[in-house]
mmCIF file of all heavy atoms in Angstrom:
data_model
loop_
_atom_site.group_PDB
_atom_site.id
_atom_site.type_symbol
_atom_site.label_atom_id
_atom_site.label_comp_id
_atom_site.label_asym_id
_atom_site.label_seq_id
_atom_site.Cartn_x
_atom_site.Cartn_y
_atom_site.Cartn_z
ATOM 1 N N TRP J 356 13.021 21.861 -10.587
ATOM 2 C CA TRP J 356 14.153 21.577 -9.699
ATOM 3 C C TRP J 356 14.900 20.311 -10.171
ATOM 4 O O TRP J 356 16.130 20.298 -10.296
ATOM 5 C CB TRP J 356 13.703 21.450 -8.275
ATOM 6 C CG TRP J 356 14.848 21.247 -7.318
ATOM 7 C CD1 TRP J 356 15.723 22.222 -6.854
ATOM 8 C CD2 TRP J 356 15.380 19.985 -6.770
ATOM 9 N NE1 TRP J 356 16.707 21.582 -5.993
ATOM 10 C CE2 TRP J 356 16.483 20.223 -5.975
ATOM 11 C CE3 TRP J 356 14.928 18.679 -6.988
ATOM 12 C CZ2 TRP J 356 17.124 19.247 -5.320
ATOM 13 C CZ3 TRP J 356 15.613 17.649 -6.284
ATOM 14 C CH2 TRP J 356 16.718 17.974 -5.469
ATOM 15 N N MET J 357 14.139 19.283 -10.442
ATOM 16 C CA MET J 357 14.761 18.043 -10.891
ATOM 17 C C MET J 357 15.463 18.147 -12.227
ATOM 18 O O MET J 357 16.451 17.513 -12.491
ATOM 19 C CB MET J 357 13.724 16.872 -10.919
ATOM 20 C CG MET J 357 13.240 16.554 -9.476
ATOM 21 S SD MET J 357 12.322 14.999 -9.547
ATOM 22 C CE MET J 357 13.590 13.850 -9.970
ATOM 23 N N SER J 358 14.943 19.099 -12.979
ATOM 24 C CA SER J 358 15.573 19.249 -14.284
ATOM 25 C C SER J 358 16.928 19.935 -14.113
ATOM 26 O O SER J 358 17.856 19.756 -14.944
ATOM 27 C CB SER J 358 14.673 20.131 -15.173
ATOM 28 O OG SER J 358 14.736 21.435 -14.759
ATOM 29 N N HIS J 359 17.120 20.610 -12.994
ATOM 30 C CA HIS J 359 18.412 21.193 -12.772
ATOM 31 C C HIS J 359 19.327 20.342 -11.947
ATOM 32 O O HIS J 359 20.503 20.290 -12.169
ATOM 33 C CB HIS J 359 18.213 22.556 -11.934
ATOM 34 C CG HIS J 359 17.644 23.611 -12.769
ATOM 35 N ND1 HIS J 359 18.270 24.073 -13.935
ATOM 36 C CD2 HIS J 359 16.547 24.384 -12.624
ATOM 37 C CE1 HIS J 359 17.516 25.051 -14.473
ATOM 38 N NE2 HIS J 359 16.477 25.288 -13.715
ATOM 39 N N TYR J 360 18.760 19.623 -10.959
ATOM 40 C CA TYR J 360 19.605 18.858 -10.037
ATOM 41 C C TYR J 360 19.411 17.333 -10.074
ATOM 42 O O TYR J 360 19.749 16.651 -9.137
ATOM 43 C CB TYR J 360 19.380 19.414 -8.589
ATOM 44 C CG TYR J 360 19.770 20.867 -8.480
ATOM 45 C CD1 TYR J 360 18.787 21.802 -8.433
ATOM 46 C CD2 TYR J 360 21.062 21.194 -8.405
ATOM 47 C CE1 TYR J 360 19.129 23.185 -8.346
ATOM 48 C CE2 TYR J 360 21.395 22.559 -8.256
ATOM 49 C CZ TYR J 360 20.467 23.502 -8.242
ATOM 50 O OH TYR J 360 20.763 24.776 -8.178
ATOM 51 N N GLY J 361 18.784 16.940 -11.158
ATOM 52 C CA GLY J 361 18.362 15.523 -11.262
ATOM 53 C C GLY J 361 19.514 14.596 -11.633
ATOM 54 O O GLY J 361 19.322 13.395 -11.676
ATOM 55 N N VAL J 362 20.728 15.093 -11.718
ATOM 56 C CA VAL J 362 21.842 14.302 -12.054
ATOM 57 C C VAL J 362 21.329 13.267 -13.131
ATOM 58 O O VAL J 362 20.198 13.254 -13.467
ATOM 59 C CB VAL J 362 22.402 13.480 -10.847
ATOM 60 C CG1 VAL J 362 23.857 13.053 -11.085
ATOM 61 C CG2 VAL J 362 22.328 14.339 -9.597
ATOM 62 N N PHE J 363 22.124 12.433 -13.572
ATOM 63 C CA PHE J 363 21.734 11.252 -14.269
ATOM 64 C C PHE J 363 20.474 11.363 -15.109
ATOM 65 O O PHE J 363 20.261 10.767 -16.172
ATOM 66 C CB PHE J 363 21.577 10.155 -13.293
ATOM 67 C CG PHE J 363 21.267 8.773 -13.807
ATOM 68 C CD1 PHE J 363 22.254 8.067 -14.493
ATOM 69 C CD2 PHE J 363 19.958 8.265 -13.821
ATOM 70 C CE1 PHE J 363 21.958 6.842 -15.070
ATOM 71 C CE2 PHE J 363 19.708 6.988 -14.404
ATOM 72 C CZ PHE J 363 20.712 6.331 -14.983
ATOM 73 N N TRP J 364 19.438 12.134 -14.544
ATOM 74 C CA TRP J 364 18.241 12.245 -15.289
ATOM 75 C C TRP J 364 18.217 13.591 -16.038
ATOM 76 O O TRP J 364 17.358 13.848 -16.836
ATOM 77 C CB TRP J 364 17.023 12.268 -14.280
ATOM 78 C CG TRP J 364 16.919 11.035 -13.540
ATOM 79 C CD1 TRP J 364 17.550 10.707 -12.355
ATOM 80 C CD2 TRP J 364 16.154 9.851 -13.895
ATOM 81 N NE1 TRP J 364 17.213 9.456 -11.948
ATOM 82 C CE2 TRP J 364 16.421 8.921 -12.848
ATOM 83 C CE3 TRP J 364 15.335 9.528 -14.934
ATOM 84 C CZ2 TRP J 364 15.755 7.660 -12.880
ATOM 85 C CZ3 TRP J 364 14.708 8.336 -14.947
ATOM 86 C CH2 TRP J 364 14.976 7.366 -13.942
ATOM 87 N N ARG J 365 19.198 14.367 -15.847
ATOM 88 C CA ARG J 365 19.189 15.724 -16.326
ATOM 89 C C ARG J 365 18.999 15.762 -17.810
ATOM 90 O O ARG J 365 18.081 16.439 -18.318
ATOM 91 C CB ARG J 365 20.457 16.468 -15.902
ATOM 92 C CG ARG J 365 20.464 17.831 -16.508
ATOM 93 C CD ARG J 365 21.471 18.670 -15.894
ATOM 94 N NE ARG J 365 21.354 20.038 -16.464
ATOM 95 C CZ ARG J 365 22.007 21.078 -16.080
ATOM 96 N NH1 ARG J 365 22.850 20.934 -15.012
ATOM 97 N NH2 ARG J 365 21.884 22.218 -16.616
ATOM 98 N N GLU J 366 19.880 15.117 -18.519
ATOM 99 C CA GLU J 366 19.756 15.241 -19.999
ATOM 100 C C GLU J 366 18.428 14.793 -20.479
ATOM 101 O O GLU J 366 17.782 15.299 -21.371
ATOM 102 C CB GLU J 366 20.837 14.409 -20.663
ATOM 103 C CG GLU J 366 22.174 14.334 -19.901
ATOM 104 C CD GLU J 366 22.171 13.279 -18.863
ATOM 105 O OE1 GLU J 366 21.773 12.158 -19.172
ATOM 106 O OE2 GLU J 366 22.607 13.629 -17.713
ATOM 107 N N ARG J 367 17.900 13.749 -19.790
ATOM 108 C CA ARG J 367 16.644 13.235 -20.216
ATOM 109 C C ARG J 367 15.497 14.180 -19.842
ATOM 110 O O ARG J 367 14.522 14.268 -20.573
ATOM 111 C CB ARG J 367 16.488 11.873 -19.518
ATOM 112 C CG ARG J 367 17.467 10.850 -20.005
ATOM 113 C CD ARG J 367 17.633 9.679 -19.176
ATOM 114 N NE ARG J 367 18.542 8.695 -19.742
ATOM 115 C CZ ARG J 367 18.806 7.547 -19.243
ATOM 116 N NH1 ARG J 367 18.300 7.185 -18.011
ATOM 117 N NH2 ARG J 367 19.641 6.740 -19.768
ATOM 118 N N PHE J 368 15.681 14.843 -18.739
ATOM 119 C CA PHE J 368 14.612 15.833 -18.355
ATOM 120 C C PHE J 368 14.654 16.970 -19.366
ATOM 121 O O PHE J 368 13.634 17.522 -19.786
ATOM 122 C CB PHE J 368 14.873 16.405 -17.001
ATOM 123 C CG PHE J 368 13.983 15.664 -15.963
ATOM 124 C CD1 PHE J 368 14.517 14.839 -15.000
ATOM 125 C CD2 PHE J 368 12.619 15.776 -15.948
ATOM 126 C CE1 PHE J 368 13.825 14.206 -14.083
ATOM 127 C CE2 PHE J 368 11.876 15.178 -15.089
ATOM 128 C CZ PHE J 368 12.411 14.344 -14.129
#
Side-chain angles (χ1 to χ4, degrees):
Chain J
W356 182 82
M357 291 192 66
S358 74
H359 287 305
Y360 298 102
V362 202
F363 183 76
W364 299 88
R365 176 167 184 171
E366 323 85 47
R367 293 162 176 182
F368 263 113

